[in-house]
Amino acid sequence: MATTPRKGEPEVAATKGTKVTAATGMTATPAAPYAHAPGPGAAREVAEPPASIGRRVGAFVIDAAIAAVVASVSGIGALLVWVPLLTMLASQSNGGGAGLSGLPLVGLALMGIGAVLSIAWTIVWVLMQGGNGSVGMRLMKIKLVRRGIGTKIGFWRALARHIVFGLLAGVIVGYFTPLFDRSGRRQGWHDLMVGAIMVDRPAFDAFVARA
């Protein structure tokens, strides 16, 4: 809507998408999701290059291997509990008199330690995903950011994402949901639930550095 300047005020032309301040007559452009970005649509295209499926799989395998090593403490403990117990039961069923050794007690201790370590690692892993990325993500040079904003997703979003992924993975389909995204962003259902996107870190950081 055109306005007529008051007497003594200079005429200022306002283009579409800008605002003219009443006091100074200077134009102000609405902020884009990223600082100095060319515009919301362009910002998302350039600033959020989706990570490749291969890198995502690589990061998942690395993180899963670390989790398996941590969980192996409980696994070793379980073996120390069950092997002597089953050996004793088998011996007694055959008329033998073998007793139970002290290994089960060591096994129980290892199982407890392993459980604590697994819980601690899960918390650390979620914290890392919500921040600068897990070990696997850092090695594969990918990271999670909030779509359209570009900031870290934080602990609670990372935790919600992990829970949704765990539920979906329980019926197998969770592993493949990034393949169902026809937008090209490769967002899995667990990403969409929390508004996150997995990006290529070097390309993302390069955009942020230029912005």
Side-chain angles (χ1 to χ4, degrees):
M1 179 176 172
T3 58
T4 305
R6 288 179 294 180
K7 189 176 180 181
E9 288 185 350
E11 248 183 66
V12 179
T15 59
K16 186 178 181 181
T18 63
K19 293 181 180 179
V20 181
T21 59
T24 64
M26 297 179 68
T27 60
T29 305
Y34 296 86
H36 310 298
R44 285 182 192 145
E45 277 188 75
V46 179
E48 296 172 354
S52 68
I53 295 297
R55 286 189 181 185
R56 293 186 69 158
V57 171
F60 177 81
V61 170
I62 292 170
D63 289 341
I66 296 172
V69 170
V70 174
S72 68
V73 176
S74 290
I76 293 171
L79 286 174
L80 293 178
V81 170
W82 286 105
V83 170
L85 182 60
L86 293 174
T87 301
M88 181 195 71
L89 293 174
S91 176
Q92 289 180 350
S93 65
N94 293 326
L100 198 60
S101 68
L103 287 178
L105 293 177
V106 176
L108 287 172
L110 285 176
M111 288 175 67
I113 293 170
V116 172
L117 288 175
S118 293
I119 293 171
W121 165 246
T122 300
I123 293 172
V124 170
W125 179 66
V126 173
L127 278 169
M128 293 176 73
Q129 282 201 327
N132 291 320
S134 64
V135 175
M137 290 162 61
R138 295 185 194 200
L139 290 174
M140 299 307 297
K141 297 182 180 179
I142 59 179
K143 70 184 297 184
L144 279 168
V145 298
R146 293 181 64 184
R147 183 173 174 265
I149 301 175
T151 58
K152 300 171 184 177
I153 67 171
F155 175 79
W156 295 111
R157 278 188 176 82
L159 179 61
R161 179 179 180 271
H162 176 59
I163 292 171
V164 173
F165 177 78
L167 293 173
L168 293 173
V171 290
I172 309 300
V173 70
Y175 295 103
F176 305 102
T177 56
L179 300 175
F180 304 156
D181 187 0
R182 297 184 179 182
S183 69
R185 291 187 290 267
R186 305 188 187 103
Q187 287 178 287
W189 294 348
H190 50 301
D191 297 319
L192 292 169
M193 286 290 290
V194 299
I197 181 171
M198 190 79 78
V199 297
D200 179 279
R201 181 189 288 272
F204 176 83
D205 289 346
F207 179 88
V208 172
R210 290 194 302 271

